[in-house]
Amino acid sequence: MMFTLPELPYAYNALEPVMDEATLHFHHDKHHATYTANLNKALESHPELAEKSIRYLIAHLNHLPEDIRGAVRNNGGGYFNHALFWDMMAPEGSTSFGGPVAEQIAKDFGSYEEFKKKFSAAAVSRFGSGWAWLVWNGDHLEVLSTANQDNPLTEGKKPLLALDVWEHAYYLQYQNRRPDFVASFFRIINWDYVNELFEDAKKSRKCGAAE
Ligand code: MN
Protein backbone atom coordinates (compact mmCIF):
# COMPACT_ATOMS: atom_id res chain seq x y z
CA MET A 1 0.00 0.00 0.00
CA MET A 2 1.17 3.48 -0.80
CA PHE A 3 0.09 6.69 0.82
CA THR A 4 -1.81 8.90 -1.61
CA LEU A 5 -2.23 12.64 -1.66
CA PRO A 6 -5.77 13.37 -0.45
CA GLU A 7 -7.81 15.76 -2.57
CA LEU A 8 -8.82 19.05 -1.04
CA PRO A 9 -12.35 18.81 0.40
CA TYR A 10 -13.28 22.13 -1.31
CA ALA A 11 -12.35 24.16 -4.39
CA TYR A 12 -8.94 25.86 -4.47
CA ASN A 13 -10.58 29.28 -4.23
CA ALA A 14 -13.10 28.28 -1.54
CA LEU A 15 -11.09 29.72 1.36
CA GLU A 16 -10.59 33.14 -0.20
CA PRO A 17 -9.96 35.80 0.84
CA VAL A 18 -8.28 34.27 3.91
CA MET A 19 -6.23 31.76 1.91
CA ASP A 20 -5.95 32.39 -1.80
CA GLU A 21 -6.11 29.99 -4.72
CA ALA A 22 -2.42 30.27 -5.68
CA THR A 23 -1.29 29.53 -2.11
CA LEU A 24 -3.51 26.46 -1.91
CA HIS A 25 -2.28 25.17 -5.28
CA PHE A 26 1.37 25.41 -4.26
CA HIS A 27 0.75 24.21 -0.73
CA HIS A 28 -1.34 21.17 -1.63
CA ASP A 29 -0.12 20.24 -5.14
CA LYS A 30 3.59 20.81 -4.50
CA HIS A 31 4.43 20.75 -0.79
CA HIS A 32 1.94 18.11 0.39
CA ALA A 33 2.63 16.04 -2.73
CA THR A 34 6.37 16.07 -1.96
CA TYR A 35 5.87 14.92 1.64
CA THR A 36 3.67 12.11 0.32
CA ALA A 37 6.23 10.97 -2.27
CA ASN A 38 9.09 11.11 0.23
CA LEU A 39 7.11 9.18 2.86
CA ASN A 40 6.45 6.40 0.34
CA LYS A 41 10.09 6.39 -0.65
CA ALA A 42 11.20 6.12 3.00
CA LEU A 43 8.89 3.13 3.56
CA GLU A 44 10.20 1.20 0.53
CA SER A 45 12.82 -0.46 2.73
CA HIS A 46 10.19 -1.42 5.35
CA PRO A 47 7.14 -2.66 3.41
CA GLU A 48 5.51 -4.00 6.61
CA LEU A 49 5.22 -0.41 7.87
CA ALA A 50 3.59 0.77 4.65
CA GLU A 51 0.57 -1.33 5.74
CA LYS A 52 0.09 0.78 8.87
CA SER A 53 -2.04 3.90 9.11
CA ILE A 54 -0.36 7.28 9.23
CA ARG A 55 -1.79 7.78 12.73
CA TYR A 56 -0.11 4.57 13.85
CA LEU A 57 3.24 5.58 12.35
CA ILE A 58 3.21 9.03 13.96
CA ALA A 59 1.95 7.75 17.33
CA HIS A 60 4.70 5.07 17.36
CA LEU A 61 7.41 7.21 15.80
CA ASN A 62 9.90 6.65 18.63
CA HIS A 63 9.66 2.88 18.14
CA LEU A 64 10.19 2.84 14.37
CA PRO A 65 13.45 1.48 12.94
CA GLU A 66 16.17 4.05 13.38
CA ASP A 67 17.15 4.14 9.70
CA ILE A 68 13.79 5.59 8.65
CA ARG A 69 12.67 7.36 11.83
CA GLY A 70 13.93 10.78 10.74
CA ALA A 71 12.39 10.48 7.27
CA VAL A 72 9.02 9.39 8.69
CA ARG A 73 9.15 12.13 11.31
CA ASN A 74 9.61 14.80 8.62
CA ASN A 75 7.70 13.38 5.67
CA GLY A 76 5.14 11.26 7.52
CA GLY A 77 4.57 14.26 9.78
CA GLY A 78 4.23 16.48 6.73
CA TYR A 79 1.83 14.02 5.13
CA PHE A 80 -0.35 13.68 8.24
CA ASN A 81 -0.29 17.32 9.35
CA HIS A 82 -1.43 18.60 5.97
CA ALA A 83 -4.14 15.95 5.59
CA LEU A 84 -5.53 17.11 8.95
CA PHE A 85 -5.06 20.78 8.11
CA TRP A 86 -7.17 20.72 4.90
CA ASP A 87 -10.08 19.13 6.74
CA MET A 88 -9.76 21.53 9.67
CA MET A 89 -10.66 24.42 7.35
CA ALA A 90 -13.90 25.22 5.55
CA PRO A 91 -15.33 28.11 3.54
CA GLU A 92 -16.06 31.10 5.75
CA GLY A 93 -19.51 30.94 7.30
CA SER A 94 -20.11 27.25 6.49
CA THR A 95 -19.61 26.09 10.07
CA SER A 96 -19.70 27.90 13.39
CA PHE A 97 -18.09 27.72 16.79
CA GLY A 98 -20.16 25.45 19.03
CA GLY A 99 -20.70 21.89 20.22
CA PRO A 100 -18.79 19.91 22.84
CA VAL A 101 -15.42 21.41 21.94
CA ALA A 102 -16.77 24.92 22.53
CA GLU A 103 -17.95 23.85 25.98
CA GLN A 104 -14.55 22.33 26.72
CA ILE A 105 -12.77 25.49 25.50
CA ALA A 106 -14.89 27.56 27.90
CA LYS A 107 -14.00 25.16 30.70
CA ASP A 108 -10.24 24.94 30.04
CA PHE A 109 -9.44 28.44 28.75
CA GLY A 110 -12.20 30.54 30.33
CA SER A 111 -13.55 31.86 27.02
CA TYR A 112 -13.22 31.67 23.25
CA GLU A 113 -11.29 34.95 23.32
CA GLU A 114 -8.75 33.55 25.76
CA PHE A 115 -8.32 30.43 23.65
CA LYS A 116 -7.86 32.58 20.55
CA LYS A 117 -5.22 34.65 22.32
CA LYS A 118 -3.26 31.57 23.41
CA PHE A 119 -3.50 29.84 20.03
CA SER A 120 -2.46 33.02 18.19
CA ALA A 121 0.51 33.53 20.51
CA ALA A 122 1.65 29.93 19.89
CA ALA A 123 1.37 30.44 16.11
CA VAL A 124 3.05 33.84 15.99
CA SER A 125 5.88 33.02 18.40
CA ARG A 126 6.93 29.69 16.85
CA PHE A 127 10.43 30.54 15.64
CA GLY A 128 11.13 29.39 12.09
CA SER A 129 8.90 26.67 10.68
CA GLY A 130 6.28 24.72 12.55
CA TRP A 131 2.67 24.43 13.65
CA ALA A 132 0.31 25.70 16.34
CA TRP A 133 -2.07 23.14 17.86
CA LEU A 134 -5.13 22.65 19.98
CA VAL A 135 -4.85 19.16 21.47
CA TRP A 136 -6.73 16.85 23.83
CA ASN A 137 -4.45 15.62 26.57
CA GLY A 138 -6.61 12.86 28.04
CA ASP A 139 -8.65 15.08 30.35
CA HIS A 140 -8.13 18.66 29.21
CA LEU A 141 -7.37 20.82 26.18
CA GLU A 142 -3.97 22.38 25.60
CA VAL A 143 -2.51 24.85 23.15
CA LEU A 144 1.06 24.21 22.04
CA SER A 145 3.36 24.56 19.07
CA THR A 146 5.75 22.14 17.41
CA ALA A 147 8.80 22.65 15.21
CA ASN A 148 9.04 21.48 11.59
CA GLN A 149 6.50 18.71 10.89
CA ASP A 150 6.33 17.25 14.39
CA ASN A 151 2.83 16.17 15.45
CA PRO A 152 1.65 16.14 19.10
CA LEU A 153 0.33 12.59 18.63
CA THR A 154 3.92 11.36 19.01
CA GLU A 155 3.71 12.68 22.61
CA GLY A 156 0.30 11.06 23.11
CA LYS A 157 -1.68 14.27 22.62
CA LYS A 158 -4.57 14.19 20.15
CA PRO A 159 -4.64 16.95 17.55
CA LEU A 160 -7.97 18.78 17.22
CA LEU A 161 -6.92 21.95 15.39
CA ALA A 162 -3.72 22.91 13.62
CA LEU A 163 -2.28 25.93 11.90
CA ASP A 164 0.67 25.66 9.54
CA VAL A 165 3.04 28.60 10.09
CA TRP A 166 5.74 27.55 7.64
CA GLU A 167 6.35 30.46 5.28
CA HIS A 168 5.05 28.34 2.38
CA ALA A 169 1.62 28.47 4.06
CA TYR A 170 1.25 32.24 3.78
CA TYR A 171 4.17 34.00 2.10
CA LEU A 172 2.65 34.39 -1.41
CA GLN A 173 -0.29 36.24 0.06
CA TYR A 174 0.85 37.76 3.34
CA GLN A 175 4.64 37.98 2.81
CA ASN A 176 6.23 38.56 6.23
CA ARG A 177 2.92 39.38 7.98
CA ARG A 178 2.44 36.11 9.84
CA PRO A 179 0.30 37.77 12.55
CA ASP A 180 -2.23 38.89 9.90
CA PHE A 181 -2.39 35.36 8.51
CA VAL A 182 -2.93 33.94 11.99
CA ALA A 183 -5.66 36.46 12.79
CA SER A 184 -7.51 35.61 9.54
CA PHE A 185 -7.31 31.85 10.09
CA PHE A 186 -10.07 31.90 12.74
CA ARG A 187 -12.59 32.83 9.99
CA ILE A 188 -12.14 29.50 8.19
CA ILE A 189 -11.91 26.96 11.01
CA ASN A 190 -14.11 23.91 10.37
CA TRP A 191 -15.64 23.57 13.83
CA ASP A 192 -17.72 20.57 12.73
CA TYR A 193 -14.53 18.62 12.01
CA VAL A 194 -12.84 19.84 15.21
CA ASN A 195 -15.85 18.50 17.12
CA GLU A 196 -15.58 15.17 15.27
CA LEU A 197 -11.91 14.86 16.21
CA PHE A 198 -12.76 15.80 19.80
CA GLU A 199 -15.42 13.06 20.04
CA ASP A 200 -12.94 10.49 18.65
CA ALA A 201 -10.18 11.69 20.97
CA LYS A 202 -12.38 11.30 24.06
CA LYS A 203 -13.28 7.71 23.12
CA SER A 204 -9.70 6.50 23.58
CA ARG A 205 -8.53 8.06 26.82
CA LYS A 206 -5.15 6.43 26.63
CA CYS A 207 -3.82 8.80 24.03
CA GLY A 208 -1.82 7.28 21.25
CA ALA A 209 -2.20 3.69 22.38
CA ALA A 210 -5.32 2.95 20.39
CA GLU A 211 -4.09 4.40 17.12
MN1 MN B 1 2.65 23.30 4.89
Side-chain angles (χ1 to χ4, degrees):
M1 195 191 95
M2 300 271 280
F3 288 97
T4 53
L5 178 65
E7 283 189 24
L8 286 184
Y10 31 71
Y12 285 92
N13 63 0
L15 303 181
E16 291 190 344
V18 174
M19 200 173 283
D20 71 10
E21 185 171 357
T23 298
L24 265 185
H25 266 295
F26 276 101
H27 202 170
H28 174 270
D29 306 355
K30 305 293 183 189
H31 292 276
H32 197 185
T34 300
Y35 292 122
T36 307
N38 288 340
L39 171 63
N40 285 326
K41 203 169 165 209
L43 293 174
E44 274 172 11
S45 58
H46 293 274
E48 75 284 1
L49 291 175
E51 302 296 320
K52 303 287 188 187
S53 70
I54 191 61
R55 279 183 177 269
Y56 177 94
L57 293 176
I58 298 302
H60 297 84
L61 187 63
N62 295 326
H63 305 284
L64 297 184
E66 215 167 307
D67 61 315
I68 59 161
R69 197 180 301 157
V72 174
R73 181 179 183 176
N74 292 330
N75 297 294
Y79 175 78
F80 184 38
N81 293 351
H82 288 88
L84 287 169
F85 186 46
W86 310 136
D87 283 340
M88 287 167 172
M89 298 185 287
E92 188 170 9
S94 65
T95 77
S96 54
F97 182 66
V101 84
E103 287 169 28
Q104 195 69 41
I105 280 174
K107 196 175 162 196
D108 291 336
F109 298 103
S111 67
Y112 172 74
E113 284 310 315
E114 275 307 305
F115 153 71
K116 196 173 165 183
K117 212 182 281 179
K118 282 207 169 71
F119 190 89
S120 302
V124 170
S125 65
R126 162 52 53 191
F127 184 77
S129 298
W131 293 74
W133 302 90
L134 172 69
V135 300
W136 179 243
N137 192 6
D139 58 6
H140 64 282
L141 297 170
E142 275 178 30
V143 161
L144 53 89
S145 77
T146 58
N148 304 316
Q149 296 296 352
D150 291 353
N151 187 295
L153 192 56
T154 303
E155 307 300 326
K157 300 176 180 185
K158 306 265 180 161
L160 307 181
L161 179 66
L163 175 57
D164 188 345
V165 294
W166 283 58
E167 284 188 345
H168 70 229
Y170 62 87
Y171 212 84
L172 279 180
Q173 196 181 349
Y174 294 84
Q175 291 81 47
N176 62 323
R177 300 186 307 279
R178 189 196 289 187
D180 292 352
F181 168 63
V182 172
S184 300
F185 171 68
F186 293 90
R187 294 160 55 184
I188 53 167
I189 293 173
N190 183 345
W191 288 108
D192 292 345
Y193 186 57
V194 176
N195 270 301
E196 254 177 62
L197 289 171
F198 184 45
E199 292 300 305
D200 286 349
K202 283 192 295 184
K203 276 179 208 154
S204 49
R205 290 183 65 87
K206 202 176 167 200
C207 289
E211 297 300 331

